[in-house]
């Protein structure tokens, strides 16, 4: 099974020694790789399609859609339009980079292991023009996150990386790097760097202390190489780095893009995803994470109201084997943010299943969980949220595996699950991507690209066979 976008990116760029390891070790490495959310404030959607367009909104994490378009009649999605990126794709982000009120698409790409960032500028009505951004990633970086960190009204980007080796040897050489915007779609490269307590992890953004400035949260861990072993051929093989020293670190913005030393909160194991939302309805932004353990854990760091966080509350579903991807929205309409994950139940058993688990937040800081079964295996474990049919309720979209891998197969299916209003979802409607029939998905995100008040979908794909064609597919929702 494949895991989501940024994990692939970090493994390929920072862990070249482990490309040939077993599937189990690869899964470990992917789970220990980073992605981050973009800025939104408590009680507001962040895909620009619903309850307010936030600076650097992350549509892949949250998109409620509580304001339906008047007299909207949903007619499904138009045929996808494919754009050819400049290099191999690893992840997508949605943000208004040009400041014109339209959500653009940021594509993280790589050429021969060198990371780059391409901007798909929204030219109106859901069409895009392409340009390369002069964004300089730290070595071995994960996805960037976006917000106006220095308060000048222009979108900035931040990323986190470590040394050039990709292996932590106790040097504590993690770094946060900021590329401040100098104008619409323009960046000043690596203007500021800060040390990070751990060398790898996930970034997400939010105004945690309520002062109107975007703060950063970094779910961090160190990589520790556990020693090599002698192969049959007499060479030394290196196992995957093992994550150690786990913590969630909160950097509070003190103004003009400056940050106080981070407050650190311990975590029992390494992280595999990180998002923000108000999960207890108190008006303060909390931080939720997936932790990778033998039986996965959903954890929430609840905000005390001043940007400090209590010890993590964990919710361990049993006998679930793994939870992947975190979608955030108020799925049941009670005014409190909820979480959605893709989860394996009872793997290798006769009643094995893959489900969408929706964890409904409550004011007493508990979670109730309902499930919706998935009839096909996801191709990338990301959960895109948005109001896709214009009824004011947040829906879900997943990229699924095509049938018949290894032979003739239909194009890549994208499944849209319509919210029934109570946190459960109707049977999905499937839409197929154009292009090659044998595809791998790298990312799926949502945003209102054509400005009709209803969320659209973008999917990044790579061909399975040489010459490995790459594309960004845009599916526009038709709602009149």
């Amino acid at each position: 099974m494949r895991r989501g976008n940024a994990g692939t990116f970090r493994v390929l760029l920072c862990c070249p020694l482990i490309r040939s390891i077993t599937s189990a070790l690869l899964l470990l490495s992917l789970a220990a790789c980073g992605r981050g959310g973009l800025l939104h404030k408590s009680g507001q959607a962040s895909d620009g399609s619903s309850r307010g367009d936030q600076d650097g909104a992350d549509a892949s994490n949250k998109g409620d859609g509580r304001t339906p378009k008047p007299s909207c009649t949903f007619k499904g999605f138009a045929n996808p339009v494919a754009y050819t990126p400049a290099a191999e794709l690893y992840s997508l982000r949605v943000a208004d980079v040009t400041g014109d009120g339209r959500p653009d698409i940021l594509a993280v790409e790589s050429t021969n292991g060198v990371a780059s960032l391409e901007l798909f500028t929204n030219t109106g009505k859901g069409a895009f023009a392409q340009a390369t951004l002069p964004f300089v990633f730290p070595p071995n970086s994960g996805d960037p996150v976006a917000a106006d960190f220095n308060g000048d009204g222009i979108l900035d980007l931040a990323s986190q990386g470590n040394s050039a080796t990709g292996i932590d040897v106790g040097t504590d050489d993690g770094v946060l790097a900021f590329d401040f915007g100098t104008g619409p779609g323009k960046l000043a490269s690596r203007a500021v760097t800060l040390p990070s307590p751990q060398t790898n992890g996930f970034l997400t953004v939010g105004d945690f202390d309520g002062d109107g400035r975007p703060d950063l949260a970094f779910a961090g861990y160190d990589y520790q190489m556990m020693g090599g072993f002698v192969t049959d051929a007499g060479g030394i093989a290196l196992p995957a780095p093992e994550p150690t020293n786990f913590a969630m670190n909160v950097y509070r913005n003190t103004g003009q893009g400056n940050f106080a030393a981070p407050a650190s909160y311990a975590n029992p194991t390494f992280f595999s995803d990180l998002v923000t939302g108000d999960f207890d309805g108190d008006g303060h932004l909390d931080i939720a994470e997936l932790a990778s353990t033998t039986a996965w854990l959903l954890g929430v760091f609840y905000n005390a109201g001043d940007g400090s966080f209590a010890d993590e509350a964990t919710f361990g579903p049993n006998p679930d084997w793994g939870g992947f991807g975190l979608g955030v929205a108020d799925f049941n309409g009670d005014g409190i943010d909820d979480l959605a994950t893709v989860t394996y139940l009872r793997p290798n058993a006769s009643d094995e299943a893959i489900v969408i688990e929706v964890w409904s937040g409550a004011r007493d800081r508990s979670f109730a969980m309902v499930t919706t079964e998935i009839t096909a295996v996801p191709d990338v474990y990301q959960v895109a949220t948005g109001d896709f049919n214009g009824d004011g309720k947040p829906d879900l979209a997943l990229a699924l595996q095509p049938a018949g891998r290894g032979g003739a197969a239909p194009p890549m299916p994208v499944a849209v699950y319509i919210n029934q209003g109570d946190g459960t979802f109707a049977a999905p409607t499937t839409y197929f991507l154009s292009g090659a029939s044998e595809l791998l998905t790298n990312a799926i995100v949502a945003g209102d690209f054509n400005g009709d008040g209803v969320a659209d979908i973008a999917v990044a794909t790579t061909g399975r066979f040489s010459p490995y064609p790459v594309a960004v597919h845009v599916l526009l929702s038709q709602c009149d």
Side-chain angles (χ1 to χ4, degrees), residues 151-368:
D152 63 358
I154 302 172
L155 197 71
D156 311 309
L157 298 180
S159 55
Q160 189 278 333
N162 53 51
S163 71
T165 65
I167 302 170
D168 178 47
V169 291
T171 57
D172 295 326
D173 57 353
V175 63
L176 298 180
F178 295 85
D179 293 54
F180 290 119
T182 59
K186 297 180 180 179
L187 295 168
S189 180
R190 295 293 291 277
V192 174
T193 59
L194 296 172
S196 61
Q198 289 84 36
T199 57
N200 302 269
F202 302 76
L203 288 175
T204 193
V205 181
D207 181 14
F208 300 122
D209 55 9
D211 63 0
R213 295 188 290 258
D215 307 307
L216 276 171
F218 168 51
Y221 50 85
D222 291 327
Y223 268 142
Q224 178 82 38
M225 208 47 122
M226 299 303 290
F229 55 89
V230 179
T231 67
D232 291 340
I236 301 296
L238 292 174
E242 179 166 324
T244 61
N245 187 24
F246 320 112
M248 199 269 290
N249 309 279
V250 176
Y251 292 78
R252 295 171 65 176
N253 191 334
T254 59
Q256 299 182 331
N258 298 308
F259 290 84
S264 185
Y265 303 89
N267 198 56
T269 185
F270 67 90
F271 302 84
S272 59
D273 211 343
L274 189 73
V275 296
T276 59
D278 180 8
F279 303 115
D280 57 1
D282 65 355
H284 305 297
L285 202 60
D286 309 309
I287 301 171
E289 55 97 1
L290 284 179
S292 296
T293 61
T294 302
W296 71 275
L297 290 177
L298 171 67
V300 176
F301 294 89
Y302 286 102
N303 194 332
D306 58 359
S308 64
F309 294 84
D311 290 338
E312 180 186 24
T314 58
F315 307 89
N318 246 341
D320 304 1
W321 175 75
F324 308 104
L326 276 176
V328 184
D330 180 11
F331 294 113
N332 60 4
D334 65 356
I336 302 174
D337 284 333
D338 310 312
L339 292 160
T341 67
V342 174
T343 304
Y344 277 94
L345 302 178
R346 305 169 297 275
N348 303 316
S350 60
D351 59 346
E352 174 184 289
I354 303 174
V355 300
I356 298 169
E357 288 186 344
V358 172
W359 294 80
S360 298
R363 297 189 187 280
D364 64 358
R365 296 188 170 179
S366 65
F367 275 91

Side-chain angles (χ1 to χ4, degrees), residues 2-11 30 33-36 60 89-93 143 380-382 441-445:
R2 296 181 64 246
R3 286 288 317 281
N5 55 353
T8 308
F9 170 60
R10 189 188 292 273
V11 165
L30 293 176
C33 293
R35 64 178 284 272
S60 69
L89 289 160
Y90 290 100
S91 68
L92 299 178
R93 285 281 179 263
D143 283 358
V380 60
Y381 293 99
Q382 264 186 295
T441 308
N442 300 92
I444 179 170
V445 293

Side-chain angles (χ1 to χ4, degrees), residues 386-397:
D387 179 11
F388 299 120
N389 67 343
D391 66 355
K393 303 181 184 70
D395 309 308
L396 299 175

Side-chain angles (χ1 to χ4, degrees), residues 132-145:
T132 300
L133 279 177
F135 180 77
V136 179
F137 289 91
N140 313 312
S141 177
D143 283 358
V145 295

